[in-house]
Structure formats: structure tokens, C-alpha cells
């Protein structure tokens, strides 16, 4: 009898494990590249040309780079994402040069963002769930002062939408 019941115990039927569907084993770099590709599709749907990613967890999600105080700019075009970091992470960021253009900043992050933005056209989205209103206003004013033609626009939760569907690296 099952403990605490009047029912007799049933013999458990033992089933062999189900075979796993064949899958292509992807490297972490391939998975990060796939995530960037999916983000580019979301940028196109949102009619945003570029996205400034300021959340370090999202930078890591898209690149695998775990160094702090780093930003990422992803364009809807097929160009490499731009990873902005500082000299403390120069050695750690070097392997990511295969998938990203690396910018090692020499001054404040805001100055590096301005330098990168100067080479962009169209709309530059920012993570509205991460960046404060004061920061976004400061960037917009700096772009205007520097005569940078990119338009700063809020782009909330784009990466959150990507993260809803788990990939092989997250499932493990």
C-alpha cells in the first residue's frame, strides 16, 4: 500500500529515455551571432537603424563579453556590432574582435558614444528601461551640439523580447 492511503502500490512502468532530436551543435559565438541577427530583425520591425545597449547583462547576452562598463551598438545592417569598453578590459575583449568591432575608449563613455554615433545615420534607439531620462536628454543635447545627425529614440524591451525564447546556451 502507498503510505497513508488505502490504495495498493502500482508497479511503475519503466520507459526507455526518448531519443533526442538531432541538433547541430553551435558554438557560443554562433549563438551570440544568432541573437544579434534576431535583434536586427526586431530593429527593422521597430523602424530603428541602430540600438545602443547599455545594460551590461544585455551586452553579455549578445556578445558573451562579461566585462563591466561596456556598451554595444547594433545596427540593422549586416555590419559588425560595435563593442565599446575601456583599457581595463583590453585583453578580455580581444577574442570578441571576430564578431564585434572593438572600440577602447580613452575618455568618458559618453565621449565614446558620441564618437561612434558620429558615424551613424538614422535613428539610434536606446534601452529606455535602462537609461534614465536625464541620460537620454544629455546624449540628445550632445548629439545636437556636435551636429551629429542621428536621432535618439526610446526602444524599450527589444532585448527582453529576444530573451523570452531560450536558446541552447541558456538551456545548457
Amino acid at each position: 500500500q502507498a503510505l497513508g492511503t488505502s490504495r495498493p502500490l502500482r508497479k511503475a512502468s519503466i520507459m526507455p529515455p526518448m531519443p533526442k532530436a538531432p541538433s547541430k551543435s553551435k558554438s557560443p559565438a554562433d549563438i551570440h551571432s544568432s541573437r544579434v541577427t534576431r535583434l536586427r530583425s526586431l530593429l527593422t520591425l521597430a523602424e530603428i537603424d541602430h540600438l545602443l545597449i547599455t545594460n551590461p547583462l544585455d551586452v553579455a547576452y549578445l556578445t558573451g563579453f562579461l566585462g563591466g562598463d561596456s556598451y554595444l551598438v547594433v545596427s540593422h545592417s549586416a555590419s559588425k556590432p560595435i563593442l565599446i569598453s575601456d583599457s581595463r578590459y583590453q585583453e578580455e575583449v580581444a577574442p570578441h574582435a571576430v564578431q564585434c568591432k572593438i572600440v577602447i575608449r580613452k575618455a568618458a563613455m559618453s565621449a565614446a558614444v558620441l564618437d561612434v554615433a558620429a558615424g551613424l545615420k538614422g535613428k539610434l534607439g536606446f534601452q529606455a528601461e535602462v537609461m534614465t531620462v536625464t541620460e537620454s536628454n544629455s546624449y540628445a543635447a550632445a548629439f545636437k551640439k556636435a551636429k551629429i545627425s542621428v536621432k535618439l529614440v526610446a526602444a524599450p524591451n527589444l532585448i527582453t523580447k529576444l530573451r523570452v525564447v531560450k536558446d541552447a546556451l541558456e538551456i545548457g
Side-chain angles (χ1 to χ4, degrees):
Q1 284 189 344
L3 190 59
T5 70
S6 58
R7 293 182 308 185
L9 284 174
R10 288 189 311 172
K11 265 190 171 176
S13 64
I14 300 181
M15 295 191 58
M18 295 297 291
K20 290 185 178 181
S23 65
K24 295 179 185 174
S25 181
K26 289 187 172 183
S27 71
D30 289 339
I31 292 171
H32 293 122
S33 178
S34 173
R35 291 172 180 173
V36 169
T37 299
R38 290 177 29 231
L39 176 59
R40 286 185 169 130
S41 296
L42 291 177
L43 291 175
T44 300
L45 288 173
E47 298 180 352
I48 296 171
D49 301 294
H50 320 276
L51 182 64
L52 174 62
I53 298 142
T54 56
N55 181 338
L57 296 175
D58 292 335
V59 171
Y61 174 77
L62 292 166
T63 65
F65 177 63
L66 302 174
D69 200 23
S70 299
Y71 288 1
L72 185 69
V73 177
V74 175
S75 296
H76 71 82
S77 68
S79 63
K80 284 184 176 183
I82 301 168
L83 181 58
I84 307 168
S85 195
D86 64 46
S87 60
R88 295 175 294 168
Y89 301 107
Q90 195 155 0
E91 284 183 33
E92 186 180 345
V93 79
H96 299 278
V98 172
Q99 68 191 60
C100 299
K101 177 183 176 190
I102 308 298
V103 173
I104 300 296
R105 62 186 177 87
K106 309 230 181 315
M109 180 63 81
S110 57
V113 170
L114 260 79
D115 287 345
V116 169
L120 305 177
K121 292 183 177 161
K123 295 179 185 173
L124 173 61
F126 65 91
Q127 292 184 285
E129 71 277 15
V130 178
M131 187 180 284
T132 67
V133 172
T134 301
E135 285 175 303
S136 64
N137 288 342
S138 176
Y139 276 116
F143 291 168
K144 186 175 181 178
K145 183 178 179 182
K147 297 185 177 163
I148 296 172
S149 63
V150 76
K151 181 180 179 186
L152 197 61
V153 297
N157 300 313
L158 289 180
I159 297 172
T160 303
K161 290 176 186 174
L162 285 182
R163 296 184 84 154
V164 168
V165 177
K166 303 302 178 200
D167 56 39
L169 202 56
E170 294 171 292
I171 295 171

